[in-house]
Amino acid sequence: MPPDTTTTAPTATPPAGPPRRRIRRAAVVDSQRISPHVQRVTVEGPDLEGFDPARDGHGGHIKLFLPNTDERTATIPTFGPNGPEVPKGASRPIVRTYTPRAFDPSANRLAVDFVLHGEGAASEWAARAEPGHEIGVAGPGRGYQPSPDATHLLLAGDETALSAIIAIAAAVPSSTVLRVLVEVPELADAQDIASSAESTVSWLARGDHQPGAMLRSAIVASTLPAAAHAWVAAEARTVRDIRRDLLDVHGCARDNVVIRGYWRAGTANHPDHDYGE
Ligand SMILES: Cc1cc2nc3c(=O)[nH]c(=O)nc-3n(C[C@H](O)[C@H](O)[C@H](O)COP(=O)(O)OP(=O)(O)OC[C@H]3O[C@@H](n4cnc5c(N)ncnc54)[C@H](O)[C@@H]3O)c2cc1C
Protein backbone atom coordinates (compact mmCIF):
# COMPACT_ATOMS: atom_id res chain seq x y z
CA MET A 1 0.00 0.00 0.00
CA PRO A 2 1.36 3.45 -0.79
CA PRO A 3 1.66 5.62 2.31
CA ASP A 4 -1.25 7.99 2.93
CA THR A 5 0.61 11.18 2.10
CA THR A 6 -2.51 13.32 2.62
CA THR A 7 -2.01 13.03 6.39
CA THR A 8 1.67 13.98 6.35
CA ALA A 9 2.10 17.08 8.50
CA PRO A 10 4.78 19.64 7.63
CA THR A 11 7.86 18.80 9.70
CA ALA A 12 9.07 21.49 12.10
CA THR A 13 12.76 20.73 11.66
CA PRO A 14 13.91 20.60 8.05
CA PRO A 15 16.51 17.94 7.29
CA ALA A 16 20.06 19.27 7.04
CA GLY A 17 21.82 19.42 3.68
CA PRO A 18 22.77 21.77 0.89
CA PRO A 19 19.80 23.95 -0.16
CA ARG A 20 19.31 22.29 -3.58
CA ARG A 21 19.08 18.82 -1.97
CA ARG A 22 16.74 19.83 0.78
CA ILE A 23 13.05 19.80 -0.01
CA ARG A 24 10.87 21.89 2.28
CA ARG A 25 7.20 21.08 2.72
CA ALA A 26 4.71 23.92 2.48
CA ALA A 27 0.94 24.18 2.33
CA VAL A 28 -1.08 26.38 0.00
CA VAL A 29 -2.79 29.18 1.91
CA ASP A 30 -3.96 31.32 -0.99
CA SER A 31 -4.33 31.21 -4.77
CA GLN A 32 -5.34 34.25 -6.81
CA ARG A 33 -5.57 35.05 -10.52
CA ILE A 34 -3.61 38.31 -10.38
CA SER A 35 -3.78 38.99 -14.13
CA PRO A 36 -5.27 37.24 -17.17
CA HIS A 37 -2.36 34.78 -17.53
CA VAL A 38 -0.83 34.63 -14.05
CA GLN A 39 -1.92 32.66 -10.98
CA ARG A 40 -0.19 33.67 -7.73
CA VAL A 41 -0.01 30.70 -5.37
CA THR A 42 1.07 31.40 -1.78
CA VAL A 43 2.40 28.65 0.45
CA GLU A 44 3.40 28.62 4.11
CA GLY A 45 4.99 26.28 6.59
CA PRO A 46 7.63 25.97 9.30
CA ASP A 47 9.93 24.17 6.84
CA LEU A 48 10.32 27.53 5.05
CA GLU A 49 12.14 28.94 8.09
CA GLY A 50 15.47 30.30 6.87
CA PHE A 51 14.50 30.26 3.18
CA ASP A 52 16.35 33.13 1.51
CA PRO A 53 15.40 34.01 -2.08
CA ALA A 54 18.54 36.17 -2.39
CA ARG A 55 20.85 33.53 -0.87
CA ASP A 56 23.08 33.51 -3.94
CA GLY A 57 22.13 36.39 -6.24
CA HIS A 58 18.72 37.68 -7.32
CA GLY A 59 15.95 35.92 -9.25
CA GLY A 60 17.36 32.45 -8.54
CA HIS A 61 15.04 29.55 -9.28
CA ILE A 62 13.31 27.03 -7.05
CA LYS A 63 12.24 23.49 -7.82
CA LEU A 64 8.62 22.80 -6.99
CA PHE A 65 7.24 19.33 -6.25
CA LEU A 66 3.53 19.45 -7.00
CA PRO A 67 0.56 17.09 -6.51
CA ASN A 68 -0.70 15.15 -9.51
CA THR A 69 -4.28 15.46 -10.73
CA ASP A 70 -6.68 14.14 -8.06
CA GLU A 71 -4.05 14.52 -5.29
CA ARG A 72 -3.82 17.21 -2.62
CA THR A 73 -0.34 16.33 -1.36
CA ALA A 74 2.80 15.89 -3.41
CA THR A 75 5.01 12.93 -2.58
CA ILE A 76 8.29 14.49 -1.49
CA PRO A 77 11.33 12.53 -2.66
CA THR A 78 14.28 11.79 -0.43
CA PHE A 79 17.82 11.90 -1.77
CA GLY A 80 19.49 8.50 -2.00
CA PRO A 81 22.73 7.40 -3.66
CA ASN A 82 20.95 7.40 -7.05
CA GLY A 83 19.39 10.83 -6.67
CA PRO A 84 15.78 11.63 -5.72
CA GLU A 85 13.70 8.61 -4.68
CA VAL A 86 10.02 8.27 -3.79
CA PRO A 87 8.71 5.50 -1.52
CA LYS A 88 7.80 2.31 -3.39
CA GLY A 89 4.24 2.53 -4.71
CA ALA A 90 3.94 6.30 -4.19
CA SER A 91 3.20 8.55 -7.15
CA ARG A 92 5.99 10.70 -8.53
CA PRO A 93 5.32 14.42 -8.03
CA ILE A 94 5.23 16.92 -10.85
CA VAL A 95 8.64 18.66 -10.70
CA ARG A 96 9.07 22.03 -12.39
CA THR A 97 11.23 25.15 -12.14
CA TYR A 98 9.85 28.46 -10.85
CA THR A 99 11.04 31.71 -9.24
CA PRO A 100 10.10 33.11 -5.84
CA ARG A 101 7.91 36.17 -6.35
CA ALA A 102 7.91 37.24 -2.69
CA PHE A 103 8.94 35.77 0.64
CA ASP A 104 7.79 36.97 4.05
CA PRO A 105 10.20 35.53 6.64
CA SER A 106 8.00 36.66 9.54
CA ALA A 107 5.27 34.28 8.36
CA ASN A 108 7.42 31.73 6.43
CA ARG A 109 5.19 32.60 3.47
CA LEU A 110 6.31 32.21 -0.15
CA ALA A 111 4.44 33.50 -3.21
CA VAL A 112 5.07 32.11 -6.69
CA ASP A 113 3.60 33.48 -9.93
CA PHE A 114 2.62 30.68 -12.33
CA VAL A 115 2.05 31.57 -15.96
CA LEU A 116 -1.14 29.88 -17.16
CA HIS A 117 -0.04 28.82 -20.62
CA GLY A 118 -2.54 26.06 -21.37
CA GLU A 119 -1.52 22.39 -21.37
CA GLY A 120 1.22 21.74 -18.83
CA ALA A 121 1.21 19.84 -15.56
CA ALA A 122 2.40 22.74 -13.39
CA SER A 123 0.27 25.36 -15.13
CA GLU A 124 -2.77 23.11 -14.72
CA TRP A 125 -1.95 22.48 -11.05
CA ALA A 126 -1.68 26.23 -10.40
CA ALA A 127 -5.09 26.75 -11.97
CA ARG A 128 -6.64 24.23 -9.54
CA ALA A 129 -4.45 24.95 -6.46
CA GLU A 130 -6.41 25.55 -3.29
CA PRO A 131 -5.68 25.99 0.41
CA GLY A 132 -4.54 22.74 1.98
CA HIS A 133 -2.62 21.40 -1.03
CA GLU A 134 0.89 20.41 0.07
CA ILE A 135 3.93 20.90 -2.11
CA GLY A 136 7.71 20.68 -1.84
CA VAL A 137 10.14 23.55 -2.43
CA ALA A 138 13.87 23.12 -3.09
CA GLY A 139 16.42 25.85 -3.62
CA PRO A 140 16.91 28.62 -4.44
CA GLY A 141 19.57 28.04 -7.06
CA ARG A 142 22.04 30.70 -8.08
CA GLY A 143 20.57 34.00 -9.22
CA TYR A 144 22.05 37.05 -10.95
CA GLN A 145 24.19 39.63 -9.20
CA PRO A 146 24.11 42.93 -11.11
CA SER A 147 27.67 44.23 -11.45
CA PRO A 148 28.39 47.51 -9.65
CA ASP A 149 30.69 48.31 -12.61
CA ALA A 150 27.97 48.11 -15.27
CA THR A 151 27.09 51.56 -16.59
CA HIS A 152 24.10 50.10 -18.49
CA LEU A 153 22.07 46.93 -17.89
CA LEU A 154 19.40 45.41 -20.13
CA LEU A 155 16.89 43.17 -18.35
CA ALA A 156 14.65 41.43 -20.86
CA GLY A 157 12.31 38.48 -20.87
CA ASP A 158 8.84 37.10 -21.26
CA GLU A 159 6.13 36.54 -18.65
CA THR A 160 7.91 33.48 -17.19
CA ALA A 161 10.90 35.72 -16.37
CA LEU A 162 8.90 38.50 -14.75
CA SER A 163 9.48 37.40 -11.13
CA ALA A 164 13.23 37.22 -11.79
CA ILE A 165 13.26 40.58 -13.58
CA ILE A 166 11.41 42.21 -10.67
CA ALA A 167 13.88 40.74 -8.15
CA ILE A 168 16.95 41.71 -10.19
CA ALA A 169 15.69 45.24 -10.96
CA ALA A 170 15.27 45.88 -7.23
CA ALA A 171 18.95 45.02 -6.72
CA VAL A 172 20.44 47.14 -9.55
CA PRO A 173 22.72 49.86 -8.15
CA SER A 174 21.60 53.47 -8.62
CA SER A 175 24.79 54.12 -10.64
CA THR A 176 23.53 51.86 -13.48
CA VAL A 177 21.19 52.96 -16.27
CA LEU A 178 18.55 50.23 -16.48
CA ARG A 179 16.55 49.29 -19.59
CA VAL A 180 13.77 46.74 -19.06
CA LEU A 181 11.85 45.02 -21.87
CA VAL A 182 9.14 42.49 -21.03
CA GLU A 183 6.95 40.63 -23.51
CA VAL A 184 3.62 39.55 -22.00
CA PRO A 185 0.54 37.92 -23.53
CA GLU A 186 -1.39 41.17 -23.01
CA LEU A 187 -0.73 44.48 -21.27
CA ALA A 188 -3.00 43.51 -18.37
CA ASP A 189 -0.29 40.99 -17.37
CA ALA A 190 2.17 43.81 -16.59
CA GLN A 191 3.33 44.35 -12.99
CA ASP A 192 5.25 47.09 -11.19
CA ILE A 193 9.01 46.93 -11.65
CA ALA A 194 10.76 49.05 -9.02
CA SER A 195 14.43 50.00 -9.01
CA SER A 196 16.62 52.64 -7.45
CA ALA A 197 18.42 52.86 -10.82
CA GLU A 198 17.42 55.32 -13.53
CA SER A 199 15.18 52.98 -15.48
CA THR A 200 13.00 52.77 -18.58
CA VAL A 201 10.49 49.92 -18.69
CA SER A 202 8.66 48.86 -21.86
CA TRP A 203 5.87 46.29 -22.03
CA LEU A 204 5.31 44.44 -25.29
CA ALA A 205 1.89 42.84 -25.79
CA ARG A 206 2.40 39.62 -27.77
CA GLY A 207 -1.07 39.29 -29.20
CA ASP A 208 -0.89 36.82 -32.10
CA HIS A 209 2.87 37.09 -32.62
CA GLN A 210 5.21 34.14 -32.03
CA PRO A 211 6.49 34.05 -28.42
CA GLY A 212 9.68 36.09 -28.23
CA ALA A 213 9.40 37.70 -31.67
CA MET A 214 8.46 41.12 -30.33
CA LEU A 215 11.06 40.90 -27.58
CA ARG A 216 13.77 40.12 -30.10
CA SER A 217 12.77 43.01 -32.40
CA ALA A 218 12.67 45.42 -29.47
CA ILE A 219 16.14 44.36 -28.32
CA VAL A 220 17.57 44.77 -31.82
CA ALA A 221 15.99 48.24 -32.06
CA SER A 222 17.24 49.33 -28.61
CA THR A 223 20.02 51.82 -28.15
CA LEU A 224 22.60 49.95 -26.09
CA PRO A 225 26.25 50.85 -25.61
CA ALA A 226 28.67 48.02 -26.37
CA ALA A 227 29.71 48.11 -22.71
CA ALA A 228 26.17 47.23 -21.62
CA HIS A 229 25.52 44.15 -19.53
CA ALA A 230 22.44 42.05 -20.30
CA TRP A 231 20.30 39.40 -18.62
CA VAL A 232 17.68 37.80 -20.86
CA ALA A 233 15.30 34.89 -20.16
CA ALA A 234 12.51 33.59 -22.40
CA GLU A 235 11.74 30.73 -24.82
CA ALA A 236 14.88 28.66 -25.47
CA ARG A 237 15.25 29.14 -29.23
CA THR A 238 14.45 32.83 -29.07
CA VAL A 239 17.07 33.57 -26.43
CA ARG A 240 19.75 32.00 -28.64
CA ASP A 241 18.82 34.43 -31.43
CA ILE A 242 18.84 37.27 -28.91
CA ARG A 243 22.31 36.31 -27.72
CA ARG A 244 23.60 36.59 -31.29
CA ASP A 245 21.89 39.98 -31.68
CA LEU A 246 23.47 41.28 -28.48
CA LEU A 247 26.93 40.14 -29.56
CA ASP A 248 26.73 40.91 -33.30
CA VAL A 249 24.36 43.89 -33.55
CA HIS A 250 25.13 45.66 -30.29
CA GLY A 251 28.73 44.49 -29.88
CA CYS A 252 28.22 43.41 -26.26
CA ALA A 253 31.01 41.42 -24.64
CA ARG A 254 30.18 37.72 -24.29
CA ASP A 255 31.09 37.77 -20.59
CA ASN A 256 28.60 40.55 -19.91
CA VAL A 257 25.63 38.69 -21.41
CA VAL A 258 23.62 36.15 -19.40
CA ILE A 259 21.09 34.16 -21.42
CA ARG A 260 18.52 31.77 -19.90
CA GLY A 261 16.16 29.47 -21.77
CA TYR A 262 13.19 29.24 -19.37
CA TRP A 263 10.97 26.98 -21.50
CA ARG A 264 11.13 25.40 -24.93
CA ALA A 265 8.22 25.36 -27.36
CA GLY A 266 7.06 21.77 -27.89
CA THR A 267 9.08 20.30 -24.96
CA ALA A 268 7.82 19.51 -21.46
CA ASN A 269 9.92 20.16 -18.34
CA HIS A 270 12.72 22.15 -19.96
CA PRO A 271 15.88 21.92 -17.80
CA ASP A 272 16.71 24.63 -15.28
CA HIS A 273 20.31 25.09 -16.50
CA ASP A 274 19.82 26.23 -20.11
CA TYR A 275 22.31 29.08 -20.52
CA GLY A 276 21.71 29.32 -24.27
CA GLU A 277 25.06 27.74 -25.17
C1 LIG B 1 15.19 29.19 -14.01
C2 LIG B 1 13.72 29.17 -14.40
C3 LIG B 1 12.80 29.94 -13.71
C4 LIG B 1 11.43 29.93 -14.08
N1 LIG B 1 10.53 30.69 -13.39
C5 LIG B 1 9.21 30.68 -13.75
C6 LIG B 1 8.23 31.42 -13.03
O1 LIG B 1 8.51 32.06 -12.00
N2 LIG B 1 6.94 31.39 -13.47
C7 LIG B 1 6.57 30.64 -14.57
O2 LIG B 1 5.38 30.63 -14.93
N3 LIG B 1 7.47 29.92 -15.26
C8 LIG B 1 8.77 29.90 -14.87
N4 LIG B 1 9.68 29.15 -15.56
C9 LIG B 1 9.21 28.41 -16.75
C10 LIG B 1 8.53 27.09 -16.38
O3 LIG B 1 9.46 26.26 -15.70
C11 LIG B 1 8.10 26.40 -17.69
O4 LIG B 1 7.16 27.19 -18.37
C12 LIG B 1 7.55 25.01 -17.44
O5 LIG B 1 7.66 24.29 -18.64
C13 LIG B 1 6.09 25.00 -17.00
O6 LIG B 1 5.73 23.67 -16.72
P1 LIG B 1 4.33 23.04 -17.17
O7 LIG B 1 4.22 21.74 -16.44
O8 LIG B 1 3.24 24.04 -17.02
O9 LIG B 1 4.52 22.75 -18.72
P2 LIG B 1 5.40 21.56 -19.35
O10 LIG B 1 4.82 20.25 -19.00
O11 LIG B 1 6.83 21.78 -18.99
O12 LIG B 1 5.21 21.82 -20.92
C14 LIG B 1 4.01 21.42 -21.60
C15 LIG B 1 3.93 22.18 -22.93
O13 LIG B 1 3.74 23.56 -22.64
C16 LIG B 1 4.73 24.34 -23.31
N5 LIG B 1 5.07 25.48 -22.42
C17 LIG B 1 5.75 25.45 -21.24
N6 LIG B 1 5.84 26.69 -20.70
C18 LIG B 1 5.20 27.51 -21.57
C19 LIG B 1 4.93 28.91 -21.59
N7 LIG B 1 5.31 29.72 -20.58
N8 LIG B 1 4.24 29.43 -22.63
C20 LIG B 1 3.81 28.62 -23.65
N9 LIG B 1 4.02 27.29 -23.69
C21 LIG B 1 4.71 26.74 -22.67
C22 LIG B 1 5.91 23.40 -23.54
O14 LIG B 1 6.66 23.79 -24.66
C23 LIG B 1 5.20 22.06 -23.76
O15 LIG B 1 4.83 21.94 -25.12
C24 LIG B 1 11.02 29.13 -15.19
C25 LIG B 1 11.95 28.33 -15.85
C26 LIG B 1 13.29 28.35 -15.46
C27 LIG B 1 14.28 27.47 -16.20
Side-chain angles (χ1 to χ4, degrees):
M1 280 281 286
D4 179 8
T5 48
T6 55
T7 58
T8 309
T11 49
T13 314
R20 287 298 303 280
R21 292 172 63 89
R22 173 171 150 199
I23 304 175
R24 305 166 188 259
R25 285 179 185 276
V28 174
V29 291
D30 192 35
S31 181
Q32 302 282 338
R33 181 76 66 94
I34 60 156
S35 74
H37 297 88
V38 178
Q39 188 80 17
R40 178 165 297 162
V41 180
T42 305
V43 297
E44 258 184 40
D47 264 13
L48 288 170
E49 177 82 41
F51 178 82
D52 179 5
R55 183 183 65 88
D56 189 8
H58 303 276
H61 67 274
I62 45 179
K63 280 301 207 201
L64 296 183
F65 299 77
L66 305 172
N68 291 284
T69 320
D70 301 331
E71 292 178 344
R72 294 179 59 80
T73 299
T75 306
I76 305 299
T78 51
F79 285 93
N82 301 319
E85 294 168 358
V86 296
K88 211 170 171 200
S91 59
R92 295 199 159 271
I94 301 159
V95 186
R96 293 289 187 274
T97 312
Y98 281 84
T99 309
R101 176 63 181 83
F103 181 64
D104 175 357
S106 69
N108 291 326
R109 186 181 299 144
L110 171 69
V112 181
D113 284 358
F114 290 77
V115 172
L116 301 176
H117 61 82
E119 280 181 29
S123 171
E124 289 169 19
W125 175 78
R128 68 173 180 270
E130 58 181 37
H133 281 197
E134 284 189 24
I135 71 166
V137 180
R142 176 174 294 178
Y144 180 72
Q145 190 62 58
S147 167
D149 301 329
T151 56
H152 292 73
L153 172 65
L154 169 71
L155 284 180
D158 67 12
E159 64 273 27
T160 64
L162 188 47
S163 292
I165 288 173
I166 289 170
I168 296 169
V172 175
S174 55
S175 52
T176 300
V177 175
L178 177 61
R179 180 82 177 98
V180 184
L181 290 166
V182 190
E183 182 186 299
V184 284
E186 55 183 290
L187 290 181
D189 290 306
Q191 298 188 37
D192 275 350
I193 299 180
S195 179
S196 61
E198 176 195 328
S199 51
T200 311
V201 179
S202 300
W203 295 94
L204 311 163
R206 178 179 306 129
D208 293 332
H209 292 89
Q210 282 293 314
M214 298 188 74
L215 186 67
R216 185 180 178 200
S217 301
I219 290 173
V220 169
S222 291
T223 306
L224 275 184
H229 291 216
W231 183 96
V232 183
E235 196 278 329
R237 290 183 189 88
T238 307
V239 293
R240 285 164 167 79
D241 293 336
I242 291 173
R243 175 203 284 280
R244 275 195 297 279
D245 296 335
L246 287 168
L247 302 185
D248 299 346
V249 177
H250 290 295
C252 293
R254 189 174 288 272
D255 285 352
N256 293 342
V257 173
V258 174
I259 293 291
R260 304 294 308 266
Y262 267 21
W263 61 282
R264 191 178 190 90
T267 305
N269 196 15
H270 188 63
D272 60 29
H273 50 272
D274 175 3
Y275 286 85
E277 302 295 349

